[in-house]
Amino acid sequence: MVLIMLQLRDLPTPEVLAKFAERYPDADVTAIASFLHLLRVATDLSLALDACLSKHDLLQGRWWVLILLMREEHLSSTPSLLAEKVGVTRATMTGLIDSLEQSDLVQRVFDKADRRRVMIKLTAAGQAKLDVVMPDYYRRLRQCMQGLDENNRSQLQHILSLINLGIPALI
């Protein structure tokens, strides 16, 4: 399954939304406006993150794999667990691992008793890559979020949690 992120650049005006609400009585104008604005910001954040990571020859998929491996006590995990945590298919994860292995950022470690079992391990080069990327990422993230004080950030997290609870209604 390939996900294509569509980017709605032209958000509807309140007048356009009111027109839709006339035709479709279930249309909640403020809910629609808030949802579309959130979707627009999420898309822009994702694109900005990719732009930041591309300066370090990474995109989100490869970066998340490195992060997940760094979080593990032994800096290693199985491909299937990584795929689950990143939210991609096993085939997609295999491609990410292949790419990271070619760059010497991870290595496959095969079980001596059963060569079908493999662990993916963060290499020293992978850790060094993160040691360069993460300070830049954290600096940019701090700048991105500087318009929100601690209270605003807490409120935002609460609001996003509430929206997350409503996602099943879209499915």
Side-chain angles (χ1 to χ4, degrees):
M1 179 172 95
V2 175
L3 291 176
I4 299 173
M5 188 181 328
L6 300 177
Q7 302 170 28
L8 180 61
R9 291 267 173 223
D10 182 24
L11 294 178
T13 64
E15 295 78 25
V16 168
L17 290 175
K19 183 178 170 183
F20 273 69
E22 285 177 20
R23 183 170 185 107
Y24 305 106
D26 284 343
D28 179 335
V29 172
T30 59
I32 296 166
S34 298
F35 174 80
L36 291 176
H37 195 166
L38 178 61
L39 201 56
R40 173 76 259 148
V41 170
T43 300
D44 288 345
L45 282 171
S46 184
L47 292 171
L49 179 56
D50 274 338
C52 169
L53 295 173
S54 72
K55 294 174 185 350
H56 301 283
D57 297 320
L58 291 172
L59 290 177
Q60 289 180 56
R62 290 168 32 110
W63 179 64
W64 284 121
V65 172
L66 296 177
I67 295 277
L68 289 171
L69 290 172
M70 190 173 106
R71 287 178 15 185
E72 295 296 325
E73 183 178 347
H74 298 289
L75 304 177
S76 62
S77 184
T78 64
S80 59
L81 190 55
L82 288 169
E84 181 181 321
K85 288 181 177 181
V86 173
V88 298
T89 65
R90 290 181 182 195
T92 298
M93 183 52 64
T94 297
L96 290 170
I97 292 167
D98 288 346
S99 171
L100 288 165
E101 191 173 44
Q102 288 171 2
S103 300
D104 193 37
L105 301 177
V106 303
Q107 74 178 94
R108 286 178 168 93
V109 179
F110 293 93
D111 187 314
K112 290 180 170 98
D114 182 354
R115 291 206 30 95
R116 293 173 297 178
R117 292 180 46 195
V118 64
M119 294 293 285
I120 307 305
K121 183 164 180 56
L122 183 68
T123 64
Q127 183 63 66
K129 173 69 92 174
L130 285 173
D131 289 344
V132 171
V133 173
M134 297 311 290
D136 182 43
Y137 163 73
Y138 287 135
R139 179 181 55 77
R140 292 170 188 271
L141 184 59
R142 186 175 55 253
Q143 290 172 346
C144 176
M145 300 297 286
Q146 71 184 353
L148 301 175
D149 63 21
E150 290 298 319
N151 186 47
N152 294 146
R153 292 173 188 178
S154 179
Q155 289 173 348
L156 176 61
Q157 289 176 37
H158 177 71
I159 290 167
L160 292 172
S161 294
L162 293 174
I163 293 169
N164 196 48
L165 291 174
I167 289 174
L170 287 172
I171 300 171

